[in-house]
Amino acid sequence: MKDEFVPYLVHIARLGGASRLVALSTRALGQAVNRSQQTASRVLGQMQKNGLIVRRKRGRTQELKLTEKGVRELRTLYLTLSDIFKSHTIEGKVFTGLGEGAYYVSQDGYRRQFKEKIGFDPYPGTLNITVIRSEDVRQLAQLYGVEIEGFVAGSRTFGGGKAIPANIAGRVFGAVFIPDRTHYPPDVVEVVAPVNLRQALMLKDGDTLTVTVPYFPA
Amino acid sequence: MKDEFVPYLVHIARLGGASRLVALSTRALGQAVNRSQQTASRVLGQMQKNGLIVRRKRGRTQELKLTEKGVRELRTLYLTLSDIFKSHTIEGKVFTGLGEGAYYVSQDGYRRQFKEKIGFDPYPGTLNITVIRSEDVRQLAQLYGVEIEGFVAGSRTFGGGKAIPANIAGRVFGAVFIPDRTHYPPDVVEVVAPVNLRQALMLKDGDTLTVTVPYFPA
DNA sequence: ATTACTACGTTACGAGTAT
DNA sequence: TATACTCGTAACGTAGTAA
């Protein structure tokens, strides 16, 4: 679909044209989308040829309605924008990992980055969760993730990953950390926060935790 | 903003460019929006001049990020589409009207239209509610409302209005009726259903009722 | 009042190419 | 590899106007 069509489809839909015929002159439509009557006429012709709208002539005037295809195309754009702008939730089951999270997070190389890039000093200990239901976590990481760089401390190498600032259980501001490399399955992520989450939220293994990733352009 | 810019902004945002700089070549961007490298280059220049994006050069390559203005413009489009595609809720307080609703709805002129246009035979009696919180009800009526025509029966004239098919309290399929003319204040609407709502939902005056208008292109 | 054609200036597109 | 010129062609936008 041509980009040019979008405002026309939007305006017709706003008048109810997604579900029924609406009376709408080429002049009024053009004015609504900031174009001339002539341009609106041409564009309507093209949209009709493309199967995006149907037109019914009533004497000299006309009625318009989006076709299923027209609705679908507009809805696709809506869903794409939703992915960008709406809040996302991640639900996961709490389990006890190998306990190495605590060791990692207490490393200065990580602590400094969390403080600078996300804004809190992580409690030395992480919460492992297995993701149950979520829009693709890696896609979220791409959208909202902050790069946490790997580093070398002494003779050890610590891998990097992506941290998504998020609201934990509606009460604590923290982050979901997705390591670039892990020995866990890919649906396992770590939840980091400035406090001991197990204590603060009274969590035990098997509990379900909900993490919200709000929309926030930093 | 030019319509032409939308897909470019969308793609940059999908890569996380709403909140941080993302590396993105003109070739890759052009490919993503189905344009040539040259076109992507020109459009980026225009969007920059329009204050929609910032660019940072890193040697021969570049990094992109939406400006606040760029995010705002895209978000405006998102909110417009939300109005069209998301479900809407109307919350209202139940009160006892003059009882004329029952008389009206039992008129064949109305009953036939409800059966044909919405799909149920209205229980002879309506529920008056005062709208507490809602996106503009009249705007909703414009989007989703079905025209109910006025008619004459005997020596009386019955006025028309708009009926919005809706889900009542999450349990009953009914409609919100918005008369074209009324002696009630404009925030008063009538809820119609195939059953006695007061009984079925155990409602009394002062109770709050939630009506959901789902998105459904008929 | 409509819709839509023609004519023509402006803008978009992309192959070729410079850097 | 990049980005971004030039320039020929296609598409867009609208005043004028027919119907």
Side-chain angles (χ1 to χ4, degrees), chain B residues 49-197:
Chain B
K49 222 187 296 182
N50 279 270
L52 298 171
I53 59 164
V54 291
R55 308 172 78 174
R56 215 177 75 194
K57 310 228 49 161
R58 315 242 311 165
R60 275 184 199 78
T61 70
Q62 64 180 350
E63 290 181 327
L64 304 176
K65 180 178 180 297
L66 301 196
T67 61
E68 273 188 41
K69 183 180 173 190
V71 173
R72 204 184 322 120
E73 303 246 343
L74 208 55
R75 193 178 168 80
T76 300
L77 177 58
Y78 167 63
L79 294 175
T80 304
L81 289 170
S82 293
D83 280 345
I84 296 167
F85 288 112
K86 78 174 178 198
S87 286
H88 302 263
T89 58
I90 301 170
E91 266 180 62
K93 249 194 183 18
V94 173
F95 74 97
T96 299
L98 304 174
E100 78 291 25
Y103 176 59
Y104 285 170
V105 169
S106 62
Q107 292 294 316
D108 246 33
Y110 285 129
R111 283 185 62 186
R112 239 185 309 113
Q113 290 189 68
F114 271 88
K115 274 192 269 188
E116 280 170 24
K117 298 180 178 174
I118 310 201
F120 66 84
D121 188 8
Y123 173 85
T126 67
L127 197 65
N128 289 106
I129 64 171
T130 308
V131 174
I132 307 168
R133 192 194 52 71
S134 161
E135 296 97 312
D136 185 357
V137 172
R138 265 140 238 282
Q139 167 69 17
L140 279 182
Q142 180 165 252
L143 260 173
Y144 298 117
V146 174
E147 195 69 39
I148 301 292
E149 323 258 350
F151 58 93
V152 178
S155 57
R156 279 212 53 175
T157 302
F158 293 85
K162 285 218 163 80
I164 312 173
N167 189 298
I168 317 301
R171 307 218 267 121
V172 181
F173 176 71
V176 174
F177 182 68
I178 295 153
D180 290 334
R181 284 188 305 277
T182 170
H183 47 270
Y184 288 115
D187 61 339
V188 169
V189 298
E190 313 233 18
V191 183
V192 189
V195 299
N196 183 337
L197 286 171

Side-chain angles (χ1 to χ4, degrees), chain A residues 74-190:
Chain A
L74 207 55
R75 191 179 170 80
T76 299
L77 176 59
Y78 166 63
L79 294 175
T80 304
L81 290 170
S82 293
D83 280 345
I84 297 167
F85 288 112
K86 76 171 181 202
S87 287
H88 300 262
T89 59
I90 299 171
E91 266 180 61
K93 246 191 184 18
V94 174
F95 74 97
T96 299
L98 305 174
E100 77 290 26
Y103 175 59
Y104 285 170
V105 169
S106 61
Q107 292 293 318
D108 244 33
Y110 286 129
R111 283 185 60 187
R112 240 184 310 111
Q113 290 189 69
F114 271 89
K115 274 193 269 190
E116 280 171 22
K117 296 181 179 173
I118 310 200
F120 66 84
D121 189 7
Y123 173 85
T126 67
L127 196 63
N128 289 105
I129 63 170
T130 307
V131 174
I132 306 169
R133 194 193 50 72
S134 161
E135 295 98 311
D136 186 357
V137 171
R138 264 137 241 282
Q139 167 67 17
L140 280 181
Q142 180 165 253
L143 261 172
Y144 297 117
V146 174
E147 194 69 40
I148 302 292
E149 323 257 351
F151 58 93
V152 177
S155 57
R156 278 212 52 175
T157 301
F158 292 86
K162 286 217 161 81
I164 312 172
N167 188 297
I168 318 299
R171 306 217 266 122
V172 181
F173 177 70
V176 173
F177 182 68
I178 295 154
D180 290 334
R181 282 190 305 278
T182 170
H183 48 272
Y184 287 115
D187 61 339
V188 169
V189 299
E190 312 232 17

